[in-house]
Amino acid sequence: MYCSSSLKPKAGGGPDGLTAMLLKNIACSVAKPLSALFNSSFELSAVPEIWKAATVTPVFKKGSPSDVSNYRPISLTCIICKIMESIIKDKLIAYLLDKKLITKQQHGFLAKHSTCSQLLECVNDWSIELNVRNCIDVAYIDFQKAFDSVVHSKLCHKLKSYGISGKLLNWITEFLFNRVQAVKINNIVSDYVPVKSGVPQGSVLGPVLFLLYINDLVDLFGPGLSVKLFADDVKIYAVINDINDVLLFQSGLDALIVWSTEWQLPISLHKCSVLHMGRKNIGHTYQINGVPLPNVTEVTDLGVLFDSNLRFTKHYRLIVNKAQHRAALILRTFKSREPALLFKAFLTYVRPLLEYCSPVWAPVYKTDIELIERVQRNFTKRLLGFRNKSYSDRLNLLNADTLELRRLKCDLVMIFKIVHKFVDINFDEFFCLNTSGITRGHDYKLSKPLCSNNARQFSFACRRIDVWNSLPVNVVSVNTVALFKLRINNVNFKNALFI
């Protein structure tokens, strides 16, 4: 059965009660009937009513439990419908990418894209401008309940404009209209109510349909203005050196207001802000619908805390505090003192906090490196029988690397992905091949650019070039990411590390 291997065994069943585990176990028996069902559904543009239903479970995020806004709604839809959606989605994405219809500025829900790829592109642009003493303004725009606000008729209009027609358009239209949902709390299910707008939450097609709905937003901004998208997160930035640049930036925001009104995606003004970068930045206040946008000195962008100097010092402290709290919680909660078990919990719940998007912000000063390393150093010291052992001995027993070494390897893996096009980042915007005629080493050596400030010098595009150039030929010339990761484990990086 198509996609049976990708079904998550623990995924809960939708309104029809069929679970992923059940479908995996009977995949061979139901493949043929489901194939016939999918073909009939597509040919007739008929979607079973149960496939249009969703069960919503509220999951608490943070804050007061009595405030409904502090809950994230998780929608469960029928898994059989998701399998058919997966087939349609793969064909749809292949068509859109082949025709280059999806904007290059969108990094959400697409292969070879991630929050890291988007942030790397932004930091690269910003550090280049700061390196030549330019000022930059960045506007962070948040849409109010964007996924729930999509107007179905307008979405179908946009689908037509992208060349989606015939039976496919008819099926998607039928899939969107006349949907219902119910709320489930403690096995008690409410009555079903109609869903009159929005892309189907909990579906496979929903995210792709939203990308197409917001896709033309980037066409609003001409030369001088840049925009980056991650699903519904919008970021607009530009070099601001005089009043003309300010007026251009404001005109871009004005065009965005017109677009959001036309397509009925209201902007959540209280979540919007402007970050000003550069020593001589005048900190101009921009407006949306006559409401001034707050000027901020720091902002959390896709999970990374940025400041106006691109130093990330506060980000280090933030992730260390979170990691220390979670590490202490593990030591208090687990009765077992088995080192292997506790360290596995550390790897699962703590280390990801310290490594998320590390190519964007990896520290270069010893003080910051030690600050982050201290979390793992202190945790391993509290494991049974490890107190009197050195940090390196503890890591050897646990078969683990220092966090500093892991960040170095992560940087090199990202460079490898960019060089060999495993990630959709333009090589020429980040690096330049060294064509000086030096024959020693490998053919992928990079030139080191001139840097006049720390923001550029310590950025991803500059800080690891010497290490990359020193890698052996048999490491950089492999054709898979997995093999590259395997081979850099055998490289001695001692001279490139503080710890």
Side-chain angles (χ1 to χ4, degrees), residues 128-226:
I128 288 174
E129 297 301 337
L130 293 176
N131 194 53
V132 292
R133 302 293 192 270
N134 282 332
C135 298
I136 309 144
D137 284 353
V138 187
Y140 290 87
I141 307 299
D142 190 273
F143 290 109
Q144 184 177 340
K145 298 181 180 179
F147 284 80
D148 296 327
S149 300
V150 172
V151 180
H152 293 157
S153 59
K154 293 187 175 184
L155 173 58
C156 291
H157 172 75
K158 287 199 172 186
L159 294 178
K160 289 180 184 178
S161 70
Y162 290 117
I164 300 168
S165 58
K167 293 178 181 178
L168 177 57
L169 179 62
N170 292 338
W171 192 91
I172 293 175
T173 301
E174 180 65 20
F175 174 74
L176 287 172
F177 285 85
N178 301 317
R179 299 189 68 89
V180 295
Q181 66 181 21
V183 178
K184 182 178 180 180
I185 301 177
N186 296 331
N187 294 322
I188 299 175
V189 182
S190 71
D191 294 332
Y192 280 97
V193 296
V195 179
K196 298 181 180 180
S197 65
V199 294
Q201 300 289 311
S203 67
V204 174
L205 269 178
V208 179
L209 296 177
F210 182 81
L211 294 189
L212 292 178
Y213 196 75
I214 202 173
N215 193 58
D216 64 325
L217 183 148
V218 299
D219 298 332
L220 303 174
F221 310 101
L225 288 175
S226 299

Side-chain angles (χ1 to χ4, degrees), residues 31-46 51 84 87-88 167 171:
K32 223 170 188 179
L34 286 184
S35 177
L37 174 62
F38 295 160
N39 285 329
S40 296
S41 174
F42 189 79
E43 290 294 326
L44 299 173
S45 299
W51 287 8
M84 183 171 180
I87 300 171
I88 294 174
K167 293 178 181 178
W171 192 91

Side-chain angles (χ1 to χ4, degrees), residues 124 308 361-362:
N124 189 57
S308 56
W361 51 262

Side-chain angles (χ1 to χ4, degrees), residues 330-331 334-346 379-380 382-386 397-398:
I330 290 173
L331 292 171
F334 282 72
K335 290 185 178 180
S336 171
R337 281 295 173 262
E338 176 62 33
L341 174 64
L342 289 176
F343 193 64
K344 187 173 182 179
F346 178 88
F379 185 88
T380 56
R382 296 187 63 182
L383 299 180
L384 184 64
F386 280 36
L397 290 172
L398 295 167

Side-chain angles (χ1 to χ4, degrees), residues 8-26:
K8 297 180 180 179
K10 295 183 180 180
D16 59 2
L18 298 177
T19 64
M21 178 63 76
L22 172 64
L23 291 172
K24 285 179 74 73
N25 291 336
I26 64 173

